[in-house]
Each structure stands twice: as C-alpha cells, then as structure tokens.
Amino acid sequence: TIEESAELRLRQKQVIGLVVQTMGSHVAGRVTLRDLLTNALRMGPERIILGECRGEEVLEMLQALYTGHNGTLTTAYATNANNCLTRLETLCFIGGMHIQSLPVHILRRQIADSLDVIVHMSRMPDGSRKIVDIAEVLSAGNDKLKTQSIFSYHVDGLDTETGKATGQFEPGGVCPTFLSKLAIMDIPLPREMFV
C-alpha cells in the first residue's frame, strides 16, 4: 500500500505499508508517492494499492501496469468514468515533464492497454456514497479513449420513511473484453450476468 497518510489497515500477511515522508520545505528529505511507487516495484509485489493519483506518480503507475504489474488499484477524483481517463492523461503531462515530446496517441494507447475497469462512486441525494458506474476502458481508435458501462446504478428516488436513496444496478448489455483475464485467474463470470 502506498499512501500520503496511513489510512489502510490491511490484515493480510506480507503487506507492506509505505507512507510519504515530508520534511517541511526541504526537498532533500522528502519521499514522494512516485519515489515510493518506484521502490515498491523493485520489491516485486503481487498487488499495489496506491492511495490517490493526483500527480507525477500517475506516469509511474501506468508504466508499471503497461509492463505487466497486474493487480493495481488506485483512486482518482473525476465526475465520471470518461473524465477519469482525461484526468489521468492530464496528470501524466503535468507530472511528467520528460514526456512532453511523447505523442498523445501513444500515451492514450498506453492508458487503454493498462487499465481494465473504472469504478465510479458518487454522492446520492441523501448524502450517502454509492457506486454508480462500473465501466470498461477501451481504445476507440482515432487516438481517443472511451469507457463502456458494464453496470450502472439508477436512482429511483428517496424512500419516504427512511430518507435513503433507492435504486438498482442494471447491466449495460455488453460483455466486457477482460473476461478472459479473469478466467485465467480462476474467476469465471457467466456472460448472462452482463445482459
């Protein structure tokens, strides 16, 4: 786990928690998320949980995913699944000054090939948070990125007695392309659940 402040308390064996170290304004004593991610990759982890992507660590994360470090989970703030892709792309260019000459279509291809799923959470009218979209990341061709909704949550309204938001998940009617990856990991999912 890699975080700015230690929030995750995982009880599994062989979990290493890495936390950013800031030493005031002194650059020499500072350890960033990008530093921690780079060093974590040298440890040969099976899984990486990156607390939040919002800077230069995004490029390192995408590089790790692109080169075969499967099993990575991170969070990012965005208004929907498509905007999450745009945000990651923007963060790559902001944080990675050395990639300014990288053609956009190559970066987008790398993002599409690295990410499988975006799970989007949103605040409901009652103030609670719910998963509202589970979307697959696809390359749309023409140097574009897009998402395809696998499941989406539709709010029906507020329960008059409890004041809680009510709704239901509905399948998007498409079978995700990454089912074969899950099958290899012995996680078979029936195709019927997606339609």
Side-chain angles (χ1 to χ4, degrees):
T1 62
I2 302 169
E3 303 174 273
E4 283 199 352
S5 58
E7 296 175 347
L8 296 173
R9 303 278 188 257
L10 302 180
R11 295 187 182 356
Q12 290 86 349
K13 292 181 181 181
Q14 299 180 344
V15 172
I16 298 172
L18 304 175
V19 180
V20 166
Q21 180 177 5
T22 56
M23 304 281 291
S25 60
H26 302 290
V27 177
R30 193 165 177 245
V31 179
T32 66
L33 286 172
R34 187 177 192 168
D35 296 331
L36 293 175
L37 183 56
T38 301
N39 286 297
L41 291 170
R42 292 185 184 127
M43 296 179 200
E46 287 186 35
R47 304 282 183 259
I48 296 172
I49 300 175
L50 179 59
E52 182 184 344
C53 274
R54 62 178 180 198
E56 62 185 5
E57 68 279 355
V58 174
L59 188 59
E60 291 301 326
M61 181 197 67
L62 289 172
Q63 293 291 332
L65 290 168
Y66 196 70
T67 57
H69 284 84
N70 292 323
T72 299
L73 176 77
T74 190
T75 61
Y77 285 93
T79 55
N80 58 44
N82 275 324
N83 288 352
C84 183
L85 294 174
T86 304
R87 180 158 164 78
L88 290 176
E89 181 182 335
T90 303
L91 288 173
C92 283
F93 283 108
I94 291 172
M97 292 303 187
H98 61 282
I99 67 161
Q100 294 298 331
S101 60
L102 181 70
V104 172
H105 73 277
I106 291 178
L107 176 62
R108 288 178 180 162
R109 182 66 198 199
Q110 188 169 343
I111 290 171
D113 289 346
S114 299
L115 302 177
D116 289 318
V117 177
I118 294 174
V119 178
H120 181 241
M121 291 182 70
S122 186
R123 189 177 302 271
M124 296 289 103
D126 64 1
S128 66
R129 293 185 184 273
K130 291 197 185 313
I131 294 173
V132 294
D133 192 17
I134 300 172
E136 179 177 23
V137 178
L138 300 171
S139 175
N142 301 328
D143 302 334
K144 302 277 187 216
L145 289 171
K146 72 173 187 173
T147 59
Q148 168 176 275
S149 186
I150 302 169
F151 293 101
S152 57
Y153 184 81
H154 297 281
V155 178
D156 294 332
L158 293 176
D159 185 296
T160 55
E161 293 180 19
T162 64
K164 298 282 184 189
T166 61
Q168 59 188 354
F169 265 103
E170 295 179 3
V174 291
C175 215
T177 61
F178 58 81
L179 282 184
S180 58
K181 288 183 185 179
L182 293 176
I184 290 170
M185 295 184 285
D186 202 25
I187 307 172
L189 295 177
R191 292 181 174 272
E192 300 80 43
M193 72 183 291
F194 301 103
V195 294

